[in-house]
Amino acid sequence: MSSKARSVVRETAKPEYTQYTPTNGKKPDGADFGVDGWLFALPGETLGGVRFPQAMYAAFQVSERGALFWRVREVGGERRQVGSDSTTRKGALALAVNAVAQQREKTAAAPETAAPATRDQGTRARGAAWRMAAEGGERSQVSATMDERLERMRAGQLAALPTVAEIRMAYPLAGGGATLRLMTAEGSTAERHMIPLTERGAAGRENDPAGIYLDAITDGANTEGLKIAAGWHLMRLGFNYARGAAWTPYTGSASSEAQWEEWAPMLPEGHRWPHTVRVAITATAEHLAYIDRAYGPAPELPDLPAGVSAHPSGPRSWQICYANRRFWQLSYWPRMGGDVWTLYADPARTKSLARAASPGELLATIPARDAEAQARAAARKGY
């Protein structure tokens, strides 16, 4: 096999996950795989005469200096981390798949560094490929401080912020609906930034009180109603129109324009053009502040009520204790539109007791919660 051999794991679009917890018996041994997470396998293959067996990996969350990340680690073998940390499981998986593919392809291109095709020796071959990849630049990420990694991630988020909003009409026979798309300067779009403007959305989801989702706002045409709908969504996502910017027609590729010319007679009279409009957008101060919170240190807790103590216990999480006899968990999650603090009754954070916009509201209830629990215990004894 030539040096251009391509690993099949690059075509692994969506592996099957198996969830593990501390109690379901599927968690890998040791403390290297978090409290809970997800197991998945990448297929085996032969490249350049080197056999790479199927390998199992675990995706789980880790906390470093109050920030929460997803990490992928090989189950078995040298149990090395694969790829880099990411703020999402999907992102960590993509980085891991790319790293595994690179390891295999580099080893196949230099077979003298690979071991014979046995499972144990194949593990050593993958270890050699990992070291080769590290020499190519990944080692700097391993040795980087947490502050540097957070700053890089923050810079990446800022660089990936959309700068253009687009309203694109569907072809008439597809229903004549319209979609709002938020794009970066390079034209890429995140899944959460593809928004149907003429659909009501999932049941229970908040809709604009003016009813902008009704099909009547378009009737197959690019009307002012669509721009009002788009503006409402932009506001909720933390974006605003750039100073002096306005929606303007956008001309696509020659083939797209030719197709629209063919479809034009099917559009309502007087609304055959434009089929696409764009406007420059900028992130609001609220959005930028959210990014700072999401990739910054965990906030400090306020003064604690008498008898209450707090100790960090995980990603933006604290163990709360009252009078050294009863325990709770307090967690913080930065969010657009208002951060959320949650008080849990158990260390695994499965039973939520209350949510608030600030930790002080929840901490102030601890003495009363303890008294209530004591009263219930006394009642049970009396019974």
Side-chain angles (χ1 to χ4, degrees), residues 37-313:
W38 302 83
L39 298 171
F40 66 94
L42 293 180
E45 60 184 322
T46 299
L47 287 178
V50 180
R51 174 61 186 167
F52 298 94
Q54 175 177 296
M56 185 68 69
Y57 300 85
F60 53 95
Q61 289 183 302
V62 296
S63 171
E64 295 187 25
R65 296 196 184 181
L68 185 62
F69 304 104
W70 281 91
R71 179 173 295 173
V72 173
R73 189 181 296 277
E74 185 177 18
V75 176
E78 299 183 39
R79 298 160 68 117
R80 293 180 182 271
Q81 179 181 348
V82 184
S84 303
D85 293 341
S86 175
T87 55
T88 64
R89 187 181 72 177
K90 183 178 179 181
L93 172 65
L95 293 168
V97 167
N98 184 64
V100 170
Q102 287 184 349
Q103 293 166 23
R104 294 184 179 185
E105 290 162 358
K106 288 183 179 181
T107 301
E112 66 276 3
T113 67
T118 66
R119 185 170 184 84
D120 292 340
Q121 291 169 330
T123 298
R124 289 196 293 270
R126 290 193 299 276
W130 176 270
R131 288 188 290 275
M132 291 170 62
E135 292 171 0
E138 292 186 3
R139 182 174 296 160
S140 61
Q141 280 203 329
V142 175
S143 62
T145 67
M146 188 60 203
D147 289 340
E148 291 170 339
R149 291 169 62 192
L150 281 171
E151 183 55 35
R152 281 202 303 270
M153 295 176 75
R154 177 181 174 276
Q157 288 291 315
L158 292 174
L161 283 174
T163 59
V164 175
E166 174 187 272
I167 298 176
R168 178 179 297 182
M169 303 300 302
Y171 291 125
L173 294 185
T179 300
L180 172 66
R181 187 161 71 114
L182 276 61
M183 301 175 290
T184 65
E186 292 75 25
S188 61
T189 301
E191 183 178 353
R192 66 182 183 278
H193 291 152
M194 292 281 290
I195 304 164
L197 293 177
T198 51
E199 297 178 8
R200 286 191 176 276
R205 182 177 299 171
E206 181 184 356
N207 288 333
D208 176 40
I212 61 174
Y213 290 85
L214 296 176
D215 289 339
I217 66 173
T218 170
D219 288 329
N222 205 329
T223 63
E224 287 299 315
L226 288 179
K227 297 170 186 175
I228 295 172
W232 183 76
H233 281 289
L234 287 170
M235 176 185 66
R236 286 175 56 82
L237 292 170
F239 293 93
N240 204 346
Y241 300 130
R243 185 180 297 274
W247 292 98
T248 57
Y250 174 76
T251 301
S253 64
S255 59
S256 175
E257 294 302 314
Q259 191 171 34
W260 269 102
E261 184 176 353
E262 179 182 345
W263 286 74
M266 301 182 188
L267 290 174
E269 187 66 31
H271 294 290
R272 295 179 179 177
W273 190 85
H275 52 76
T276 304
V277 292
R278 288 185 175 183
V279 66
I281 58 174
T282 59
T284 63
E286 180 189 9
H287 195 142
L288 297 177
Y290 157 73
I291 292 177
D292 287 341
R293 296 195 306 277
Y295 297 97
E300 297 289 335
L301 295 182
D303 292 339
L304 303 174
V308 177
S309 61
H311 304 280
S313 60

